[in-house]
Amino acid sequence: MAAESSKQFWKRSAKLPGSIQPVYGAQHPPLDPRLSKNFIKERSKGNSLPLKNKKASSFHEFARNTSDAWDIGDDEDEDFSSFQTLNSKVAKATAAQVLENHSKLRMKPERAQSALSEMPTNCKVIKSSSEAQLARSPEDACMRNALHKQQSLPLRPIIPLVARISDQNASGAPPMTVREKTRLEKFRQLLSSHNTDLDELRKCSWPGVPREVRPVTWRLLSGYLPANKERRKLTLQRKREEYFGFIEQYYDSRNEEHHQDTYRQIHIDIPRTNPLIPLFQQPLVQEIFERILFIWAIRHPASGYVQGINDLVTPFFVVFLSEHVEEDVENFDVTTLSQDVLRSIEADSFWCMSKLLDGIQDNYTFAQPGIQKKVKALEELVSRIDEQVHNHFRKYEVEYLQFAFRWMNNLLMRELPLRCTIRLWDTYQSEPEGFSHFHLYVCAAFLIKWRKEILDEEDFQGLLMLLQNLPTIHWGNEEIGLLLAEAYRLKYMFADAPNHYRR
């Protein structure tokens, strides 16, 4: 019986590493075409009814009527693969048509006329798809060959926009401006000084840290590295050796009975971490994450491992990996790095994540009191800064805990692309109590950002679907900068006067 349960315990999916298939967060819901069609139909029916006939649904009714994202069957996988194939065909056809139209628009009238005059007279213009199927004569080959040359472009893997880790805006990375060069030079001067002025470094980092100096800046701001430049190398060496000492001492205990549940939960959660980014689906990266999370869990028995902590490793891992990688890291093969480099990335990610969690550990202790308090504070704050939105939630029986729990538990990582999270954490590490106190005002600003969309929804299910799938896929540095500016305004107004948002 024990052998059978052990076999079931370590049963892996044939399709993905880990014990079960990955689950997408709010930003990446399961792409089931049947669910999408049903949801669209229900929404269209609901919108056609008079407003007076709409009734607020209860949370339990919503939970019963919503398919569980954790249960993805084989049939749905087949639908998903066919859905992906259909989408790729449509995308290729659309791209080819756009390229053709674009080339025609850019062609000068004289060249267009000469191209038409040079075209053989026996070439026919195909007007419909049915005629195209019938046209198989040599005369039509010239037209097909011309289109084929125009459309035969080299294919390259397409990374979804939400999975791009580049910290530039979605429109692309512009050349570095004079101001950005000046800022980068200021950072380098601060970091190269004998004793780095941490207050000045925080001030410079608040509006964002340049990619070139972000790794060392994060190590300093998190308290992992000392301000004294001469002590940094020895500190890194000592802390990295200490971490791998923990690995040798504790990691083998993952198979012991009293640690087995912890390791099993970590083992299940890791494949779900950023499932759209190939970097995090590499077995070597997942092994690194397993060690980091397991060692942290057994060294913090008051909380242990809690779902959501796995997300908090990824920004540190990406930032420290970027120190050794020039190109985009989404598809980077970490096996090409040396063992020493991988060990340094792993140890640095562990210690910086530990420093972060030291400030918000009450979010993950029993009953998660830190999150409960923050969600209540968010409710009180929103009731003061936008009473209409607050009353709208009350009217349709939407509880803040139903959507804001994840905002606090995962620090908005499921709501924002990873590139935005990295930019957000530049500011969090520059703010005193940024991950705990300032995060409350960021969540409030984030909620009010969608004020119009929230007020347009007039039923419980529509509000929950919106708040769990907010459209931030195209967000970049500019949107995060505006969000942080609004959060700072709210903090300036309310942080030192808490009675302003208490009724």
Side-chain angles (χ1 to χ4, degrees):
M1 183 68 182
E4 184 178 352
S5 62
S6 176
K7 183 178 179 181
Q8 181 67 23
F9 173 81
W10 292 109
K11 184 177 180 182
R12 286 174 174 264
S13 168
K15 299 180 181 179
L16 288 166
S19 299
I20 66 172
Q21 296 182 359
V23 174
Y24 300 91
Q27 190 66 46
H28 327 292
L31 298 176
D32 188 338
R34 296 177 301 175
L35 291 178
S36 302
K37 290 177 182 176
N38 292 338
F39 179 69
I40 293 170
K41 288 178 182 177
E42 288 174 5
R43 291 292 302 276
S44 61
K45 288 179 182 178
N47 291 338
S48 63
L49 294 174
L51 293 179
K52 63 181 180 180
N53 292 335
K54 290 189 176 180
K55 295 182 179 180
S57 305
S58 68
F59 176 70
H60 297 292
E61 181 182 352
F62 171 72
R64 287 196 303 270
N65 295 334
T66 304
S67 297
D68 191 357
W70 306 90
D71 301 328
I72 304 178
D74 294 337
D75 295 337
E76 291 172 331
D77 289 335
E78 293 173 6
D79 291 340
F80 177 67
S81 62
S82 62
F83 181 65
Q84 276 188 317
T85 304
L86 177 62
N87 274 355
S88 63
K89 289 180 179 178
V90 172
K92 288 178 181 177
T94 305
Q97 187 63 43
V98 169
L99 286 171
E100 180 183 355
N101 294 340
H102 183 65
S103 63
K104 288 178 180 178
L105 287 173
R106 294 191 61 172
M107 187 181 292
K108 294 182 179 180
E110 296 83 5
R111 291 183 60 191
Q113 186 63 34
S114 62
L116 288 173
S117 63
E118 292 172 4
M119 185 179 293
T121 55
N122 56 358
C123 283
K124 294 193 300 181
V125 178
I126 298 175
K127 297 180 180 178
S128 65
S129 58
S130 60
E131 187 177 349
Q133 294 294 328
L134 295 174
R136 292 290 183 266
S137 60
E139 301 87 41
D140 303 309
C142 60
M143 178 67 73
R144 290 198 299 272
N145 290 338
L147 290 175
H148 178 71
K149 288 180 181 178
Q150 194 172 28
Q151 295 173 8
S152 59
L153 298 173
L155 295 176
R156 56 182 297 183
I158 298 174
I159 300 296
L161 180 60
V162 71
R164 293 179 190 164
I165 304 176
S166 171
D167 59 353
Q168 296 294 335
N169 283 316
S171 58
M176 188 177 288
T177 63
V178 175
R179 180 176 178 274
E180 289 169 340
K181 290 179 180 178
T182 304
R183 289 190 72 240
L184 178 59
E185 186 60 31
K186 178 67 181 294
F187 270 95
R188 284 176 171 159
Q189 289 177 2
L190 281 170
L191 297 173
S192 62
S193 60
H194 181 70
N195 281 299
T196 300
D197 186 342
L198 294 181
D199 289 335
E200 186 65 23
L201 185 63
R202 291 188 185 96
K203 182 179 177 181
C204 292
S205 300
W206 206 100
V209 181
R211 183 181 187 272
E212 295 83 353
V213 294
R214 182 175 278 137
V216 64
T217 301
W218 276 27
R219 291 187 187 105
L220 285 165
L221 293 179
S222 65
Y224 174 44
L225 276 187
N228 185 283
K229 186 178 179 181
E230 294 179 355
R231 293 173 51 206
R232 290 176 195 168
K233 186 175 180 180
L234 290 175
T235 300
L236 281 176
Q237 183 180 347
R238 176 174 56 83
K239 297 296 283 185
R240 288 168 181 171
E241 290 176 355
E242 185 179 354
Y243 168 72
F244 283 101
F246 295 153
I247 296 291
E248 293 177 6
Q249 184 176 358
Y250 299 119
Y251 193 59
D252 287 340
S253 67
R254 66 190 184 279
N255 295 322
E256 296 177 5
E257 185 176 356
H258 57 290
H259 288 152
Q260 202 173 52
D261 288 343
T262 297
Y263 182 69
R264 178 180 180 274
Q265 190 60 59
I266 293 170
H267 188 73
I268 289 172
D269 287 346
I270 285 177
R272 303 171 185 160
T273 306
N274 291 291
L276 292 181
I277 302 178
L279 172 69
F280 300 116
Q281 300 307 312
Q282 297 179 37
L284 183 56
V285 174
Q286 295 185 354
E287 290 172 11
I288 289 172
F289 280 28
E290 282 184 3
R291 289 194 291 267
I292 290 173
L293 295 172
F294 182 76
I295 296 301
W296 187 88
I298 63 174
R299 294 189 73 244
H300 296 81
S303 62
Y305 172 76
V306 177
Q307 285 180 302
I309 295 179
N310 56 305
D311 288 327
L312 305 183
V313 186
T314 56
F316 292 114
F317 184 83
V318 167
V319 167
F320 298 140
L321 176 63
S322 67
E323 197 171 17
H324 307 279
V325 178
E326 292 296 329
E327 67 269 21
D328 291 336
V329 300
E330 296 94 347
N331 278 317
F332 182 76
D333 183 4
V334 296
T335 59
T336 60
L337 295 174
S338 68
Q339 189 67 22
D340 289 341
V341 168
L342 287 173
R343 286 168 65 90
S344 65
I345 293 172
E346 179 177 347
D348 293 355
S349 299
F350 169 80
W351 287 114
C352 288
M353 186 196 74
S354 299
K355 294 287 186 180
L356 184 160
L357 289 170
D358 285 347
I360 57 172
Q361 193 170 353
D362 62 341
N363 285 5
Y364 306 105
T365 54
F366 178 74
Q368 298 181 275
I371 292 179
Q372 304 279 352
K373 292 176 184 176
K374 291 182 180 72
V375 171
K376 184 62 178 176
L378 177 65
E379 182 177 358
E380 292 175 348
L381 181 58
V382 173
S383 70
R384 300 300 290 177
I385 63 179
D386 199 324
E387 191 171 6
Q388 189 177 2
V389 169
H390 178 72
N391 290 335
H392 193 71
F393 286 152
R394 295 182 64 182
K395 178 180 179 181
Y396 295 104
E397 301 179 2
V398 174
E399 299 291 338
Y400 284 77
L401 202 62
Q402 291 164 357
F403 63 89
F405 180 89
R406 188 171 65 194
W407 295 10
M408 304 299 178
N409 189 61
N410 298 80
L411 299 177
L412 287 176
M413 287 194 64
R414 296 289 178 89
E415 278 56 51
L416 297 171
L418 184 53
R419 61 181 179 275
C420 295
T421 299
I422 291 172
R423 166 62 190 92
L424 190 67
W425 284 20
D426 288 342
T427 301
Y428 279 5
Q429 296 193 83
S430 308
E431 276 280 329
E433 298 181 332
F435 290 97
S436 55
H437 187 61
F438 187 62
H439 180 67
L440 168 66
Y441 299 98
V442 171
C443 288
F446 186 66
L447 181 63
I448 302 305
K449 169 75 174 66
W450 309 102
R451 182 180 192 278
K452 181 181 181 301
E453 291 81 357
I454 289 170
L455 296 177
D456 286 344
E457 295 291 344
E458 296 185 337
D459 61 79
F460 177 87
Q461 181 170 338
L463 282 166
L464 259 292
M465 291 296 289
L466 170 68
L467 292 167
Q468 293 177 357
N469 297 274
L470 291 166
T472 60
I473 184 173
H474 292 283
W475 276 33
N477 286 354
E478 183 178 351
E479 289 79 7
I480 294 297
L482 293 172
L483 179 70
L484 289 167
E486 177 63 16
Y488 185 80
R489 185 185 71 85
L490 294 175
K491 178 192 173 188
Y492 185 80
M493 291 174 62
F494 294 102
D496 296 326
N499 289 331
H500 285 186
Y501 63 80
R502 287 180 184 166
R503 291 188 178 277

